[in-house]
């Protein structure tokens, strides 16, 4: 079963996490400071739950330190609900962000998505799947063809690129900056409107009702998430 490192100084939250996670069979370690959390990292947990307001350091600071050498999924749980905090955490390498208070089911779902990603990451060396299926959406990466409910959808090269980047991170919120960098390139990271325009086009082609998207969800002020139908 997966091991979870919790870095959280608020006892009410860490005991709540302990109960729900142990109940699901996760092995957990709780540390209350950034320093202790980092020192436990050598045990290689499968996933990290990180608070930002820690007594010794800001949790935000330690994300890049972890990312220098490890792709362990990091889920932020924080009282800071501002969009700019979420965007920053995701841009410097966090996998997901939950604002306190959050529900147990939501945390568990985000953890499963993050863990599945990291497993995919581990397993994909040389054997990446050529075919993607998620709900009614399927992509043949080799033939570069996209289908919704077995009906072929014709995308422009940039729409296709945007969809494949989202599909490679299914279930995870991707920031505007990340999408701009991956789809258009680093020179374009200030062109937020590109993402909006192309996302609108993609929705028109993929969604039954683009005003109420089932696949391509907006995370207000942060970015977009391609729904993971295994989770929903
Ligand atoms: Ca705290």
């Amino acid at each position: 079963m997966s091991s979870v490192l919790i870095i959280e100084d608020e006892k009410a939250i860490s005991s709540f996490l302990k109960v729900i996670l142990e109940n699901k069979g996760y092995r957990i370690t709780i540390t209350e400071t950034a320093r202790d959390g980092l020192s436990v990292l050598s045990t290689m947990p499968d996933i990290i739950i990180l608070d930002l307001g820690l007594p010794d350091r800001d949790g935000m600071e330690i994300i890049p330190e972890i990312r220098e050498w490890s792709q362990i999924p990091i889920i932020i749980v924080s009282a800071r609900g501002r969009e700019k905090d979420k965007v920053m955490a995701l841009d410097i390498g966090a996998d997901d962000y939950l604002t306190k208070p959050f529900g147990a089911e939501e945390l568990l779902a985000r953890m499963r998505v993050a863990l599945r990603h990291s497993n995919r990451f581990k397993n994909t060396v040389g054997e990446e799947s050529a075919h993607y299926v998620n709900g009614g959406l399927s992509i043949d990466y080799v033939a570069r063809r996209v289908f919704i409910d077995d009906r072929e959808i014709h995308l422009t090269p940039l729409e296709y690129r945007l969809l494949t980047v989202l599909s490679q991170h299914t279930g995870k919120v991707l920031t505007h900056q990340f999408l701009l960098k991956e789809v258009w390139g680093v020179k374009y990271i200030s062109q937020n409107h590109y993402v909006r325009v192309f996302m609108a086009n993609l929705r028109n082609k993929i969604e039954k009702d683009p005003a109420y998207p089932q696949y391509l969800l907006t995370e207000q002020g942060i970015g977009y998430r391609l729904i993971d139908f295994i989770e929903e």
Side-chain angles (χ1 to χ4, degrees):
M1 208 42 190
S2 301
S3 56
V4 186
L5 170 60
I6 297 167
I7 310 177
E8 164 68 86
D9 62 315
E10 218 175 308
K11 294 226 167 39
I13 305 270
S14 56
S15 23
F16 163 72
L17 293 173
K18 183 175 156 69
V19 170
I20 59 171
L21 297 180
E22 283 186 344
N23 185 38
K24 293 288 177 187
Y26 290 102
R27 282 180 287 115
I28 70 162
T29 305
I30 297 173
T31 59
E32 296 184 2
T33 62
R35 192 175 55 110
D36 290 349
L38 288 170
S39 73
V40 171
L41 270 185
S42 54
T43 63
M44 297 300 285
D46 295 307
I47 188 165
I48 299 168
I49 296 178
L50 175 66
D51 176 30
L52 295 182
L54 295 169
D56 55 339
R57 291 176 69 186
D58 193 305
M60 203 74 94
E61 282 174 28
I62 69 173
I63 302 169
E65 289 179 29
I66 297 169
R67 282 292 170 261
E68 276 173 23
W69 60 274
S70 163
Q71 291 302 319
I72 299 172
I74 301 172
I75 296 185
I76 304 292
V77 291
S78 175
R80 298 179 205 162
R82 291 177 307 181
E83 288 165 359
K84 76 176 210 258
D85 292 310
K86 295 183 186 177
V87 169
M88 186 197 286
L90 295 166
D91 273 337
I92 61 179
D95 289 76
D96 214 328
Y97 195 113
L98 286 170
T99 305
K100 295 172 182 172
F102 52 85
E105 283 313 314
E106 186 165 24
L107 174 71
L108 291 165
R110 304 288 182 92
M111 285 176 66
R112 286 191 296 268
V113 166
L115 283 164
R116 207 162 49 238
H117 267 287
S118 77
N119 290 336
R120 238 179 246 171
F121 189 78
K122 279 181 202 152
N123 296 338
T124 45
V125 192
E127 47 176 292
E128 195 150 5
S129 168
H131 207 84
Y132 170 91
V133 180
N134 183 27
L137 170 67
S138 63
I139 305 172
D140 180 337
Y141 291 129
V142 177
R144 301 173 73 89
R145 297 173 74 186
V146 176
F147 301 85
I148 287 283
D149 303 325
D150 298 322
R151 179 171 54 89
E152 183 160 13
I153 308 287
H154 295 281
L155 300 179
T156 66
L158 275 172
E159 289 164 1
Y160 177 77
R161 175 93 193 108
L162 179 58
L163 183 63
T164 53
V165 170
L166 286 156
S167 71
Q168 282 152 6
H169 301 273
T170 303
K172 184 175 161 179
V173 53
L174 302 179
T175 64
H176 296 107
Q177 293 238 331
F178 179 86
L179 289 167
L180 284 161
K181 185 158 62 71
E182 293 293 311
V183 178
W184 284 268
V186 278
K187 280 194 291 190
Y188 298 88
I189 52 176
S190 57
Q191 310 291 327
N192 274 359
H193 62 283
Y194 283 19
V195 184
R196 270 198 303 279
V197 169
F198 278 81
M199 192 62 68
N201 294 345
L202 257 188
R203 280 180 174 149
N204 281 331
K205 294 184 179 181
I206 285 175
E207 303 286 357
K208 276 202 188 79
D209 182 353
Y212 298 94
Q214 293 178 295
Y215 291 94
L216 302 164
L217 296 202
T218 301
E219 296 279 336
Q220 208 57 52
I222 301 169
Y224 297 93
R225 182 194 298 269
L226 174 57
I227 283 282
D228 187 339
F229 278 87
I230 300 170
E231 284 301 333
E232 300 304 315

